Amino acid sequence: MAKIKHLVSGEFTRLAKYNLFTASLVVAMVWVVMGYFLELDEFKAFLPFVFLMETSAMTSLLVGAEMFYEKKEHTISSMLISPMTEFEYILSKILVNILNIAIIFVIIGASMYFLKAYLFNFQWLFLGIILVTSFYVFIGILLSYISKDFTALLLNYMVMMIVLVLPSIGVVIGILPESILEYIFWSPTEVTLRLLNASFLDSIDIVQYLKDAVYIVLVSLLMLRYGVLPYFKDYATKDLGV
Amino acid sequence: MFTVKDLVFKYPKNAEDTIKGIDFEIKQGEIFGFLGPSGAGKTTTQKLLVKLLAYDKGEIHFDGKDLHSFNDVFYEDIGVCFEMPISFSKLTAMENLDFFQKLYKNHADIQPLMERVGLWEDRNKLVGEYSKGMKIRLNLVRALLNKPKMLFLDEPTNGLDPKNARIVKDMIREFAHNGGTVFLTSHIMSDVDELCDRVAFITDGKIEEIDSPRNLKIKYGQRTVTVEYKEDNQTHVKRFTMDEIKTDAFAELMRTKEVETIHSGETTLEEIFIQVTGVKLHGED
Ligand SMILES: Nc1ncnc2c1ncn2[C@@H]1O[C@H](COP(=O)(O)OP(=O)(O)OP(=O)(O)O)[C@@H](O)[C@H]1O
Ligand SMILES: [Mg+2]
């Protein structure tokens, strides 16, 4: 446990020193400014977009960028030859990203409260974040596995966005018809939206919520077991001339 | 410390085995040199020994136990010095060392190590602003953070100026002197000659020779004596085998000619390297 704490704090320090935390703060500020100009109802309609962009797009991009640096500077190998398991390494990445998004959402939430006197339900929000973050951390890790360099990472990231995130976003901002929802009902981003939206909806469909929670956790576990863990060492040590 | 038996390894993507059944032993307290041409499998072997690659054919034993039976606790006892820099460039040297050290149970005293390699003054500089040689020296400190029993060093003096190379070599020798075991790969034969108790030559995934540098020199040495002498205002050269120097011809030359130089034809490790490995290029046996 002490080791996890140490890994998380180290990871967070690096997020700050490599200016990745600043980058995600800047994005958060964009939402805050938007909230300032929009009416409360408009902003509430816009919230799912913010939630989804932060949890999915930001998280997988941050993880991809971190892994890119760690690989480039070979620190990932240095960690692998320490008494630390791959699982602990991945767990610390998940915890850091949960923390990061939580901070961002607290900022957005606080600004909503002061600007519009609106408070969303933080318990549901944090529960949602905890449930969905692993999935996008794993997406970020898998993206770095298949990307040879930073350009490839960004390209693969774009493809992931178009396939995974865009359909849900399209419906939220009204450029895609709601009728496609039945086809993408079990898309991880739709599931993410339903889980996070619980934090500002008046009524929650508990049965659907439980189904969604189990579904996203199961999908994440499968990704961990069959995608992330088996290829981790390979990725970390590939061009390492020990 | 390490016993390797009939180790075979193939990279999943390759058709051919990279390591083709090697056997060797690294004894406690010795400096073991692992030499061979580029692509022979040195790095691969080292990765297998530090569990960065998984093997399924053959055996590796560490401290008498199967390497497979160790979990991450294995790393408490070993230090690995990579050839390339392995630090976070946007953190200072101390922040780097502090982060890595806290992953271990045993903690070495950082200050004397940093002073020894001449980096203590620059400890609060970002590693990104370090020179290549400074980063390499920092790697050695990183490898020693946990007071390891066994050190793996890849080209430890590569990129260092002669003074720092000297310091690093002294540190390696002292580490072994205090009971530590060292596995070292290097292309600098004079360093290997100076440091290693035993060396192994690997070519194309097979070990060709294992012995002490001294024994190898005797085995591969030409064992001749070359005499340069002056006669009629000209320098002449005559070579004698070790048997021939017992003959009168040699004594006669010594007695009657104006001898300029005498050299025993001792072979260097470099020549042995070329003899053992160089003749067999990849693929042709
Ligand atoms: N990740 C990998 N996948 C496939 N083949 C590999 C991989 N790494 C190394 N090889 C191959 O294995 C062989 C041995 O490589 P290795 O890196 O062990 O050589 P080396 O002895 O360390 O050479 P050098 O002195 O250049 O460092 C080479 O033919 C190399 O192409
Ligand atoms: Mg190598």
Side-chain angles (χ1 to χ4, degrees):
Chain A
M1 204 50 221
K3 202 177 281 170
I4 294 288
K5 226 177 99 190
H6 174 62
L7 284 172
V8 168
S9 90
E11 187 98 27
F12 212 80
T13 314
R14 271 155 12 227
L15 216 50
K17 298 245 170 162
Y18 283 74
N19 293 326
L20 295 171
F21 186 61
T22 322
S24 84
L25 274 185
V26 168
V27 176
M29 283 307 138
V30 173
W31 309 135
V32 171
V33 170
M34 243 175 208
Y36 177 78
F37 287 111
L38 294 175
E39 292 299 318
L40 178 60
D41 277 346
E42 287 173 317
F43 191 69
K44 273 170 83 174
F46 198 63
L47 262 183
F49 175 73
V50 175
F51 284 165
L52 192 58
M53 285 307 278
E54 284 291 337
T55 50
S56 67
M58 274 311 274
T59 300
S60 41
L61 189 61
L62 277 186
V63 171
E66 273 175 54
M67 301 266 297
F68 172 77
Y69 278 123
E70 285 174 16
K71 172 105 176 156
K72 189 173 139 226
E73 299 181 345
H74 302 292
T75 46
I76 195 164
S77 323
S78 194
M79 285 191 251
L80 273 186
I81 50 109
S82 322
M84 175 204 77
T85 61
E86 289 136 60
F87 182 71
E88 284 169 328
Y89 170 89
I90 290 161
L91 184 62
S92 72
K93 281 244 180 305
I94 295 172
L95 293 175
V96 164
N97 280 284
I98 288 178
L99 201 64
N100 181 44
I101 298 176
I103 291 172
I104 300 294
F105 283 2
V106 165
I107 292 172
I108 296 173
S111 67
M112 289 284 286
Y113 179 73
F114 289 115
L115 293 173
K116 310 277 171 200
Y118 175 74
L119 198 60
F120 44 63
N121 188 323
F122 277 99
Q123 280 106 315
W124 283 108
L125 188 58
F126 288 147
L127 183 62
I129 295 171
I130 290 170
L131 287 169
V132 304
T133 301
S134 308
F135 177 82
Y136 297 101
V137 168
F138 296 162
I139 291 276
I141 295 178
L142 294 181
L143 283 177
S144 36
Y145 283 1
I146 59 169
S147 311
K148 282 210 165 62
D149 50 38
F150 204 68
T151 322
L153 180 68
L154 289 180
L155 272 176
N156 287 326
Y157 177 77
M158 293 295 183
V159 173
M160 183 279 294
M161 287 289 290
I162 290 168
V163 173
L164 203 62
V165 185
L166 217 60
S168 299
I169 295 278
V171 175
V172 170
I173 60 176
I175 56 167
L176 288 175
E178 291 209 7
S179 56
I180 68 159
L181 280 183
E182 68 175 297
Y183 303 107
I184 59 168
F185 189 80
W186 288 111
S187 153
T189 44
E190 276 304 309
V191 175
T192 302
L193 270 177
R194 289 196 292 271
L195 289 172
L196 292 174
N197 288 353
S199 61
F200 68 92
L201 294 180
D202 302 324
S203 69
I204 297 160
D205 179 349
I206 270 299
V207 176
Q208 186 57 43
Y209 191 95
L210 284 177
K211 277 191 203 162
D212 287 338
V214 170
Y215 173 82
I216 196 84
V217 169
L218 264 183
V219 171
S220 304
L221 283 176
L222 288 176
M223 279 169 85
L224 179 68
R225 169 70 182 78
Y226 295 102
V228 174
L229 282 177
Y231 302 105
F232 184 77
K233 232 176 211 174
D234 224 31
Y235 164 79
T237 61
K238 208 184 292 163
D239 40 44
L240 178 79
V242 175
Chain B
M1 205 87 203
F2 267 100
T3 322
V4 176
K5 270 202 208 104
D6 210 15
L7 184 64
V8 176
F9 177 79
K10 185 168 91 66
Y11 285 103
K13 271 177 257 155
N14 298 1
E16 207 187 328
D17 289 336
T18 296
I19 302 297
K20 299 165 180 162
I22 57 174
D23 296 81
F24 63 93
E25 189 190 352
I26 307 171
K27 297 186 192 119
Q28 162 115 38
E30 83 173 336
I31 304 181
F32 187 82
F34 209 61
L35 316 177
S38 204
K42 302 183 294 295
T43 296
T44 307
T45 307
Q46 179 159 330
K47 282 187 184 172
L48 288 163
L49 293 181
V50 299
K51 284 175 66 117
L52 283 178
L53 285 176
Y55 60 98
D56 41 33
K57 269 189 248 165
E59 286 172 36
I60 302 177
H61 286 263
F62 174 65
D63 253 356
K65 269 182 289 174
D66 191 337
L67 198 59
H68 287 303
S69 70
F70 286 89
N71 56 13
D72 55 312
V73 176
F74 169 70
Y75 296 110
E76 296 282 1
D77 290 329
I78 70 160
V80 184
C81 194
F82 297 93
E83 189 187 1
M84 69 275 292
I86 40 135
S87 303
F88 297 106
S89 62
K90 303 207 175 171
L91 264 56
T92 68
M94 277 315 254
E95 286 168 339
N96 266 289
L97 293 175
D98 187 61
F99 172 75
F100 287 117
Q101 187 166 54
K102 285 194 177 134
L103 296 171
Y104 295 94
K105 278 205 212 75
N106 291 329
H107 294 178
D109 211 348
I110 290 178
Q111 186 171 351
L113 286 172
M114 285 293 271
E115 282 174 349
R116 189 81 192 271
V117 298
L119 291 177
W120 182 246
E121 302 280 298
D122 295 311
R123 65 188 181 282
N124 293 323
K125 242 194 195 175
L126 295 184
V127 173
E129 294 164 7
Y130 267 25
S131 72
K132 180 165 185 267
M134 289 164 91
K135 288 179 190 163
I136 299 292
R137 281 179 275 154
L138 186 63
N139 278 0
L140 183 63
V141 178
R142 156 73 183 91
L144 291 167
L145 278 179
N146 55 321
K147 297 189 186 163
K149 286 194 227 162
M150 165 110 205
L151 259 188
F152 290 88
L153 304 170
D154 192 34
E155 302 272 346
T157 57
N158 196 11
L160 294 183
D161 61 60
K163 180 173 153 260
N164 282 308
R166 175 88 275 138
I167 292 171
V168 165
K169 280 185 274 184
D170 287 344
M171 287 173 78
I172 296 170
R173 222 191 323 260
E174 274 165 42
F175 177 81
H177 191 76
N178 296 327
T181 310
V182 180
F183 179 91
L184 177 146
T185 77
S186 178
H187 289 298
I188 304 172
M189 289 302 126
S190 57
D191 284 1
V192 172
D193 201 357
E194 201 180 319
L195 288 171
C196 294
D197 299 302
R198 286 191 312 138
V199 296
F201 284 99
I202 180 168
T203 319
D204 200 13
K206 281 177 293 217
I207 289 184
E208 305 281 345
E209 272 292 358
I210 306 183
D211 215 328
S212 67
R214 195 192 125 80
N215 287 348
L216 288 172
K217 281 179 199 162
I218 292 171
K219 180 170 170 191
Y220 287 90
Q222 295 173 343
R223 294 172 47 76
T224 57
V225 171
T226 309
V227 183
E228 288 180 325
Y229 62 94
K230 228 176 188 156
E231 193 170 45
D232 308 331
N233 261 336
Q234 276 192 319
T235 305
H236 296 263
V237 181
K238 210 164 166 123
R239 189 171 276 125
F240 297 89
T241 65
M242 286 299 172
D243 290 325
E244 283 168 351
I245 58 174
K246 294 187 192 105
T247 63
D248 286 339
F250 183 75
E252 176 79 17
L253 185 93
M254 289 288 119
R255 211 168 41 234
T256 58
K257 299 287 187 288
E258 189 186 337
V259 175
E260 285 187 321
T261 64
I262 303 177
H263 286 293
S264 68
E266 193 182 85
T267 317
T268 62
L269 211 52
E270 193 167 330
E271 285 162 339
I272 300 174
F273 182 96
I274 293 165
Q275 271 195 58
V276 174
T277 65
V279 278
K280 278 191 202 162
L281 291 169
H282 185 87
E284 39 174 283
D285 261 84

